[in-house]
Amino acid sequence: MKKILIVILSSLCFVSCYNNAFNDVLFRTTSDPFYDTPVTDSLRLEHTVFLNWKEDKGCDRFCLMRSFDNDNLDFKCIYEGTEVSYVDNQLEDNARYIYRLDKWRGTERFEGKAYGYGYSSDCRNDSLESNDEDTKASLLNYDQTCNLPCVRYTTNNEEHYDCDWFCVDVPPRHSAYINIAQINHLNEGNGVDTNLKYQLLHSVSEAVRQNEEKRIVNTDYEIKRFYFCIYPEITGLIGSSGDTVIEYTVSLSKIININ
């Protein structure tokens, strides 16, 4: 009786597994794989690029391609499989990389059409990330030390740089003064002009002078929250290609009555 039961259970298991495999083939999408671009994060950890991409029911396996960023791209496959993420830590120091996502369906290969950009840096995101949008602005209520990574790629002359958003609460009929000071790279200029830009939300951008105080005025009769961003001026900071990191401090130096 036990032998019969074992045979029955084994048969059911075989049929179930067979049906699952059959269903995967029978009911899989008939669409070709869609073109996708790997999303990169080069600043989560030093000398490491984190990559991810979307699932694709029309794809049997992914092939993540990588090349050094130069005039003649020479792609090599660094990952092949069914996962939708990859951690690339086999990188040369301070090197820039171009990534492409190819897909296989059966014996047919679908080559990616757009690139992901990454670089090997000895820097990581500062503690306020991700404050790169006004909706994610950091409340400025004490002094902050931040960094702004920026890189220009040879491929497509692509520029990538960080942008830090902050907000400050200003009492009614008061002015707030925001002090901004660049820590590094000043000796490459005149020591007065920084490589930073400042922009109050819905206003035009302004250059930043070293230790300059930007004034924010609240003329209303109630407390008001103001948003502003600080971002790098890449022109003159790096050449036709390369990367660097600007370090700076930002602080709320004083709030005074405007009456």
Side-chain angles (χ1 to χ4, degrees):
M1 184 65 182
K2 290 183 178 179
K3 290 183 179 180
I4 295 175
L5 181 59
I6 291 174
V7 170
I8 293 174
L9 291 176
S10 300
S11 299
L12 290 174
C13 181
F14 173 80
V15 171
S16 176
C17 293
Y18 178 82
N19 284 338
N20 288 337
F22 180 76
N23 289 338
D24 289 342
V25 174
L26 181 63
F27 297 109
R28 72 171 300 188
T29 178
T30 58
S31 301
D32 287 337
F34 58 83
Y35 295 101
D36 198 4
T37 306
V39 177
T40 62
D41 183 352
S42 302
L43 295 169
R44 194 187 309 177
L45 188 66
E46 292 86 347
H47 303 297
T48 306
V49 178
F50 292 81
L51 302 105
N52 66 84
W53 51 90
K54 300 181 184 70
E55 292 185 357
D56 188 345
K57 298 298 184 183
C59 173
D60 292 328
R61 65 187 189 279
F62 303 102
C63 186
L64 180 64
M65 309 293 291
R66 186 186 72 190
S67 170
F68 284 105
D69 171 47
N70 51 42
D71 292 327
N72 300 302
L73 297 178
D74 182 21
F75 284 102
K76 300 288 192 304
C77 183
I78 59 172
Y79 167 76
E80 188 165 6
T82 58
E83 300 295 327
V84 292
S85 64
Y86 182 77
V87 179
D88 190 8
N89 52 18
Q90 303 300 313
L91 307 174
E92 295 185 11
D93 291 354
N94 302 314
R96 301 180 309 279
Y97 295 92
I98 307 300
Y99 296 91
R100 190 187 77 206
L101 186 65
D102 295 354
K103 299 180 179 182
W104 287 92
R105 181 183 175 96
T107 59
E108 187 174 0
R109 183 169 186 156
F110 296 79
E111 186 176 296
K113 294 185 175 181
Y115 299 142
Y117 298 80
Y119 61 100
S120 174
S121 174
D122 56 5
C123 172
R124 68 168 65 184
N125 286 321
D126 59 50
S127 60
L128 298 182
E129 288 294 334
S130 300
N131 62 336
D132 49 2
E133 300 175 9
D134 60 331
T135 56
K136 301 177 181 178
S138 300
L139 180 62
L140 186 64
N141 48 17
Y142 58 90
D143 298 357
Q144 295 285 359
T145 300
C146 307
N147 61 46
L148 291 172
C150 44
V151 56
R152 180 182 285 120
Y153 295 87
T154 299
T155 304
N156 297 330
N157 198 29
E158 189 87 4
E159 291 183 354
H160 289 198
Y161 59 85
D162 193 15
C163 178
D164 293 339
W165 277 92
F166 301 91
C167 59
V168 59
D169 293 328
V170 183
R173 307 293 298 172
H174 279 72
S175 294
Y177 290 81
I178 310 299
N179 181 277
I180 305 170
Q182 186 170 322
I183 298 174
N184 59 346
H185 297 301
L186 274 176
N187 291 334
E188 299 175 11
N190 55 22
V192 177
D193 295 321
T194 72
N195 300 103
L196 300 172
K197 302 282 282 186
Y198 163 91
Q199 185 170 11
L200 191 65
L201 186 63
H202 304 312
S203 300
V204 297
S205 62
E206 305 174 17
V208 177
R209 306 273 285 180
Q210 182 70 341
N211 284 311
E212 180 178 7
E213 291 187 337
K214 297 293 186 180
R215 184 188 182 200
I216 300 176
V217 182
N218 181 9
T219 58
D220 292 347
Y221 287 89
E222 59 183 10
I223 191 170
K224 188 175 180 181
R225 175 164 289 186
F226 292 84
Y227 295 82
F228 66 91
C229 69
I230 299 173
Y231 62 96
E233 174 58 73
I234 295 182
T235 305
L237 180 63
I238 54 180
S240 58
S241 62
D243 61 89
T244 191
V245 178
I246 298 177
E247 298 179 13
Y248 71 97
T249 59
V250 56
S251 60
L252 176 60
S253 61
K254 58 180 178 283
I255 296 178
I256 61 175
N257 197 308
I258 62 175
N259 292 330

